[in-house]
Amino acid sequence: MGALEAVILTIITASTPLLLAAIGELVVERSGVLNLGVEGMMVMGAVCGFAVSYSTGSPYLGVLAAIAAGVFMSLLFGFLTLTLVANQVATGLALTLLGLGLSGLIGESFVGLPGVKLTALAIPGLSQIPFIGPILFGQDILVYASFALVAAVSYVMFKTRTGLIIRAIGDNHTSAHALGYGVIPVRYACVMFGGACAGLSGGYLSLAYTPQWIENMTGGRGWIALALVVFSTWLPKRVAIGAYLFGAVWIMGLYVQAAGVGIPSQFLSSLPYLVTIVALVIISGNKTLSRVNTPACIGQSFVPDR
Amino acid sequence: MKLILEKRAEHSQKMAVLSPLIAIALTVLVGGIIFAVRGLNPFYALYIYFIDPVMSLWSIEQLVVKATPLILIGVGLAICFTANVWNIGAEGQLTMGAVFGGLLPVMFPEFQSPLVMPLMLLLGVIGGMAYAAIPALLKNRFGANEILTSLMLVYVAGFILDWLVRGPWRDPMGFNFPKTVTFDGWQLLPTFGGTIHMGAVLAVVAVVVLAVVMGRTLKGFEILVLGNAPRAGAFAGFSRTKIVLFSFLLSGGLAGLAGIGEVMSTVGQLQPTISPGYGFTAIIVAFLGRLNPIGVLFAGLMLGISYLGGEAAQVTLGMSDKIAKVFQGILLFFILACDSMILYRIRLITGAKPQAAPAE
Amino acid sequence: MKTKLLGLAAAFAMTLGAASAEAKTKACFVYVGPVGDHGWTYQHDQGRLVVEKELGDDVETAYVENVAEGPDAERAIERLARDGCNIIFTTSFGYMEATLKVAKKFKDVKFEHATGYKRADNVSTYNAKFHEGRYIIGQIAAKTSKSGIAGYIVSFPIPEVVSGINAFMLGAQSINPDFKVKVVWVNSWYDPGKEADAAKVLFSQGADIITQHTDSTAPLQIAAEKGAMGFGQASDMIAFAPKTQMTAIVDDWSGYYVSRVKAVMDGTWKSEDTWGGIDSGMVGMAPMTNMPDDVAKMAMETLEKIKSHELNPFTGPITKQDGTVVGEAGKPLDDGAVLGMNWYVKGIDDKLPQ
């Protein structure tokens, strides 16, 4: 295996949880909802995924459980913000608090147990191609899922009627409602999709990335996923670019350290965040890029005026 | 069957009073069930959680100390959020306030004079303001989303503090452990009877001043108008960019003050961790207080009680920290949910044709 | 009316709370992380459980977890003191000032602060010489590595971590003077994802053996995937990497905790500084496996030598990274030099943040 190939493989595994959670949140935000509880949904996905895979011995059941946990948490959020029109920022933060506590409680008896790893599922033939084979076709099922989700969300959002409706609701819920679209049901669906993706992302951490459960194992990745969505100006392809870029900056920081260059590690650790800010500024500064795509109704509650 | 919200013609005064009570009642009920399921006496657990923290003088003092930074930051954020400006990075501004203010005792440990205390507080405010100005300027100049830039800067601030206390600012006599010299004399805030420090006074002053500003002045009106009806604000000649900068400087300055206040009292030195996430908790405080300065005062105390209660429950009941977190999450959920009853009437529609909604 | 109500509530609390606490010694713990971190805090809590088990009905324990170093520490410690704890273990360096402050107020309560250096009449300090274990795994690494490069994942540059790196390197150099150690700081005590990334990077840079001063099992799991070898940290992690872990450095506080709580019961408790090594059982080594017999034999010999104080990892002369030499030939460095270590020995491929 070549050195570059190893670097890219490391970057992909580091970026996949960010990508999974961010692509879900992108759909949520496109529909005009801001769910800051990604971290809470993720950590619940991680613990439920681990608990089920450990108990049943099947990592695939674990993946399903992780998704279910994410959806359950997102429904709590949806009920509060969509049905009861509670403030989305505050509810999202409360969701994170609840998720961190609940996951610790569920996971109490799973600390220190070795998990069942979700093994790589190499695609015969294709994975034999030099260089791109192992990178694109030698991964586990969740990495494929992240590729597929980016493509699917990109397609649905911009090439189908469903996507048009979601975007219409996110841009102007009042007129979308006047046109007869069900603002609340569509937003529920989007919030649940976001929950499923965040759960999946948590499951990736506890099943594939590092098969084990320890408290707070998401380590702030949910927040980075949120940043990536804005960084992408709500475009799925750019979410993927952003996630891999973020992963790459982090991994390259480790390489620089291992090479023995005497740069303070704190600087290297903060580099991904600085890069995100700079990228955010560059993209936001370009009016044509950002204006068109920003969901105008983001974070605003909607109550139908029947 | 369907759950329907109807907008009330005006805020329900009755619900404004009732909603927190209903929320607490529901939390007590659900909390009681959780405690019972975990094999604890629910009545005793709830007593420990809510009543015990206000039963002794010591505990009340601790409550005030814990609520001080929450209120200081929360009241600034309340104004910020009212103006529809989203500063999520108060934690970073708190850190930079502590760093700027800490500069004095770290660089000039021998400098002891009554001047030191106000200077440190001032530096703390400046530090918080300067750090908050970054997302404000990025927003005004480039249109960069302030939620994310301010949040990213929290991590960066953490690494700056970390680097300082492990490197250049390390206590030369401290066996190379990551901490600065311990502060003393004028480098610490005066206390009332040993525990409650001057920060509490500053917090109350901030609450009162901002309550007056919001209720009685043109600036407050400007903030309200720009927050609720940006277009009307623009017609009135109010500047959006100015209010963004103002909100960030105000909330950042208060967060910086909270940061230096903590360092000059409970912590007593700079070290890698100086806050258990006050900047984030204060966001919840701001919302619980309904973005009203006086409300923030009560919300800060309320959250303080839930933290102290959670700690007491760990010690007295052997209840894990996680149950405390879950309990807090549930409490917040119920409060947020019940708040919507102030603005809306909730109806269960069972198949029948919905009635005409009252005019908006 | 009001006072009456308050009084009633207090009485209510008393009857429910205090009934069971008669005549028991209460041992209390303050933890910096969650007990579920499977590392530092987890091992302290295992010690607490042993205290409960061994001393049975004579003792009662309590703990507060996730107490941030800083504003919450003093309150948490004082709460325990007020709650009738007889001995309080504060298990993180950052609790030092808070422990001393509370100790001043509660002269009758005994305090035990882990990893600190400030004591008082009712404050003891305790720590373990984890670097002794690291010297041994350094030797094992140098014996078994084919590439002659080890990867070392670390959290924060505090003296304990730095002396660990140095001891590992000195152990390795005692076998192979040209041995190389690559160091990566992840700025976190436990974040399995970050540790896994760091491990992958180190392997791709030529390391074929990995060790860590972070708490998660991730680096070992990655080593297992790559067919490399590694060592456990804080606890025996063999279950996570049955064919990969050669041994592990185990934090075992139980013996110390039991003896200190007993001392409180007997009235023999005195303020002292305990710095326990392999000899005291505080630093445990998991069984040596997955290595050739001769290597295991050598490791056991070193272990015995350290245990009997025949060997001290930090015996002079030691050449620092900058070329200066410390320590007299044949004499170990004094404790202060080890406890405050902020320099690397020669040959480590990294620069310490100054």
Side-chain angles (χ1 to χ4, degrees), chain A residues 34 36 76-77 79-80 82-87 89-91 93-95 97-98 100-105 108 215-216 220 223-224 226-228 230-231 234 246 264-267 269-270 272-274 276-277 280-281 284-287 301 303-306, chain B residues 3-7 34 38 81 86 88 138 141-145 147-149 151-153 155-156 159-160 162-164 166 280 283-284 287 307 320-323 325-330 332-334 336-338 340 344 346 349 354-358 360:
Chain A
L34 179 65
L36 292 183
L76 279 181
F77 175 84
F79 181 70
L80 252 84
L82 301 176
T83 302
L84 296 178
V85 293
N87 179 283
V89 172
T91 309
L93 291 168
L95 192 73
L97 197 65
L98 184 72
L100 290 174
L102 209 53
S103 62
L105 216 54
E108 253 171 4
E215 267 186 78
N216 306 352
W223 296 105
I224 296 165
L226 277 163
L228 286 174
V230 181
F231 169 85
W234 295 273
F246 195 94
S265 65
Q266 292 96 341
F267 175 72
S269 290
S270 60
Y273 302 101
L274 290 171
T276 306
I277 293 173
L280 215 54
V281 166
S284 312
N286 188 335
K287 295 275 182 277
S301 299
V303 182
D305 248 351
R306 278 157 299 113
Chain B
L3 203 62
I4 296 283
L5 287 191
E6 269 175 13
K7 201 159 192 149
I34 294 179
R38 300 284 296 187
F81 296 162
W86 299 96
I88 306 292
L138 292 180
R141 177 73 184 77
F142 303 103
N145 183 308
I147 296 185
L148 295 146
T149 47
L151 180 64
M152 294 291 107
L153 285 168
Y155 297 97
V156 178
F159 287 119
I160 292 175
D162 197 81
W163 175 71
L164 283 172
R166 289 179 202 284
F280 294 110
I283 298 172
I284 297 172
F287 279 106
Y307 276 107
S320 99
D321 171 56
K322 288 130 239 175
I323 302 188
K325 273 204 194 109
V326 171
F327 194 61
Q328 257 177 7
I330 292 173
L332 293 175
F333 271 151
F334 279 131
L336 290 166
C338 290
S340 58
Y344 304 97
I346 297 177
I349 306 284
Q355 295 161 346
E360 200 173 343

Side-chain angles (χ1 to χ4, degrees), chain C residues 9-139:
Chain C
F12 175 59
M14 296 272 245
T15 45
L16 279 165
S20 60
E22 292 303 321
K24 278 189 179 180
T25 300
K26 194 162 180 184
C28 302
F29 297 78
V30 185
Y31 301 141
V32 70
V35 290
D37 69 357
H38 199 240
W40 180 256
T41 294
Y42 181 79
Q43 289 302 121
H44 283 286
D45 200 52
Q46 294 296 309
R48 177 185 70 89
L49 293 174
V50 172
V51 169
E52 272 195 344
K53 207 169 123 203
E54 291 209 354
L55 303 179
D57 287 342
D58 300 333
V59 72
E60 186 186 354
T61 70
Y63 69 88
V64 192
E65 61 181 327
N66 267 331
V67 177
E69 299 176 334
D72 287 336
E74 188 180 337
R75 188 188 60 244
I77 299 167
E78 184 163 350
R79 177 184 298 283
L80 290 169
R82 285 177 174 270
D83 208 55
C85 298
N86 305 97
I87 180 165
I88 300 173
F89 296 90
T90 56
T91 63
S92 183
F93 172 75
Y95 298 152
M96 185 161 71
E97 303 295 339
T99 307
L100 286 161
K101 267 192 225 168
V102 180
K104 234 182 230 166
K105 288 193 220 166
F106 294 85
K107 296 280 182 203
D108 297 337
V109 180
K110 315 297 180 205
F111 293 84
E112 297 263 352
H113 177 229
T115 72
Y117 55 82
K118 290 189 183 171
R119 281 169 293 281
D121 284 345
N122 58 340
V123 182
S124 285
T125 50
Y126 62 103
N127 198 357
K129 293 176 183 167
F130 295 115
H131 60 262
E132 291 184 349
R134 295 198 180 268
Y135 186 86
I136 300 172
I137 64 173
Q139 285 195 327

